[in-house]
Amino acid sequence: MRSHLLTGTVRHRRARPVVYALEHKVYYLALDLDELDTVDRSLRLLSRNRRNVLQFRDADHWPEPATDLRATVLAHLRGEGEDPTDWRITLVTNPRVVGYVFNPASFYLCRDAGGALRRVVVEVHNTHLERHLYSLRPDPTHSSSGQDRFVASMDKAFYVSPFIAMDGRYSVFVRDADDRLSIAINEQADGRPLLTTNLVLRRRPLTDRSLLWMLLRHPLVTQRTIGLIHWHALRLWLKGARFHRHGPATREAAARRASGRAAG
């Protein structure tokens, strides 16, 4: 199978007005969308759309919950003017662990028939049960873009953290090399760095043995993710970070930025 396991570290660093950093060990699945049923048949610990210790559900993905995620992603790419007939699409995400999942961000790495990384779709979820897509093309002016490198940017158009305002812009850097995957997302506001997020992940075979090892090493990883989100939010609040409440105003701001990006 081309599908595999990714293990490594996530790091966040907030530069202002409150300096704050965190680092945690994580693991992800890297699922070839052509192999979802093959993965289901091949593994005892991981199933597709049925109960198991680890479960991949199509409906856990996309703004309108998908019933067939591969077909949904291909339709989206066609709607964006691409012809993904021979493309290979890898989803980097966490599965449900004993029935629960929360993925702050999942990544669809879209390679064309020649192996070039042509598109990266970032699917973002917030704790208000909302979902949003950033569908990215590589920046043609960036000299490092190539077979295994991808650089893009986009305006912020989705409420994520109560401690960061909606006016911001992201830069996304992906290196999808043979032995590892690195993803960096840097947020700027007022033209100055605000937040840096880095994922550095090594590739491992996707087997029941490797999954069992991850379950023993990082039990209840998705439950831990949501717990850590609230723990770090509490620490930021105690440090005096400004709180931006989510509601009609932030939703309208997100809609305006999203519509402005589409028009541009």
Side-chain angles (χ1 to χ4, degrees):
M1 292 189 301
R2 292 186 296 265
S3 299
H4 53 279
L5 192 65
L6 293 163
T7 64
T9 305
V10 60
R11 299 181 180 91
H12 288 234
R13 189 178 189 282
R14 181 188 177 106
R16 58 185 175 90
V18 175
V19 176
Y20 191 84
L22 62 90
E23 177 176 323
H24 298 294
K25 297 294 184 182
V26 292
Y27 72 89
Y28 288 84
L29 300 181
L31 298 172
D32 188 310
L33 294 190
D34 287 330
E35 295 182 342
L36 294 179
D37 287 332
T38 303
V39 169
D40 180 47
R41 291 192 300 267
S42 302
L43 299 171
R44 295 180 180 179
L45 292 175
L46 173 62
S47 300
R48 181 186 187 188
N49 296 330
R50 57 188 177 89
R51 290 185 181 180
N52 204 335
V53 179
L54 299 173
Q55 179 188 166
F56 174 82
R57 281 192 195 173
D58 292 65
D60 289 333
H61 296 278
W62 223 249
E64 292 292 329
T67 55
D68 181 339
L69 185 59
R70 178 181 178 275
T72 298
V73 176
L74 292 177
H76 170 78
L77 292 171
R78 291 188 182 101
E80 297 270 302
E82 305 285 1
D83 178 8
T85 303
D86 297 318
W87 287 21
R88 177 163 58 87
I89 302 169
T90 303
L91 169 61
V92 177
T93 194
N94 271 128
R96 286 180 175 260
V97 181
V98 292
Y100 179 79
V101 70
F102 181 75
N103 274 302
S106 298
F107 304 90
Y108 300 82
L109 309 180
C110 307
R111 289 184 175 274
D112 64 19
L117 191 54
R118 288 277 298 276
R119 284 286 196 133
V120 172
V121 180
V122 186
E123 178 186 315
V124 186
H125 294 208
N126 65 24
T127 56
H128 297 267
L129 305 181
E130 298 168 333
R131 308 178 184 184
H132 183 76
L133 296 179
Y134 293 101
S135 191
L136 307 179
R137 289 185 174 91
D139 182 351
T141 66
H142 205 287
S143 60
S144 69
S145 296
Q147 289 288 101
D148 66 347
R149 294 176 184 265
F150 184 99
V151 181
S153 60
M154 69 278 196
D155 289 333
K156 184 174 183 177
F158 184 65
Y159 178 94
V160 177
S161 169
F163 300 104
I164 300 179
M166 285 298 301
D167 292 331
R169 186 165 178 83
Y170 297 113
S171 297
V172 180
F173 304 85
V174 179
R175 186 179 180 192
D176 189 22
D178 290 340
D179 61 336
R180 69 179 63 193
L181 171 67
S182 302
I183 300 174
I185 301 178
N186 301 332
E187 183 173 355
Q188 293 186 333
D190 302 321
R192 296 183 295 151
L194 178 60
L195 179 70
T196 300
T197 302
N198 288 285
L199 269 174
V200 180
L201 305 166
R202 289 187 175 272
R203 305 188 193 279
R204 299 182 182 274
L206 181 57
T207 64
D208 280 315
R209 183 175 182 177
S210 61
L211 287 174
L212 179 60
W213 176 243
M214 285 298 107
L215 284 167
L216 293 173
R217 241 186 125 180
H218 305 289
L220 305 178
V221 66
T222 56
Q223 291 86 344
R224 180 172 177 263
T225 295
I226 195 69
L228 286 170
I229 286 171
H230 288 94
W231 168 244
H232 290 299
L234 174 62
R235 294 187 67 189
L236 279 167
W237 180 72
L238 291 174
K239 284 176 173 285
R242 181 185 173 189
F243 191 90
H244 300 269
R245 191 174 299 278
H246 190 33
T250 53
R251 290 186 178 93
E252 288 173 9
R256 284 196 303 270
R257 293 177 70 81
S259 62
R261 187 178 69 251

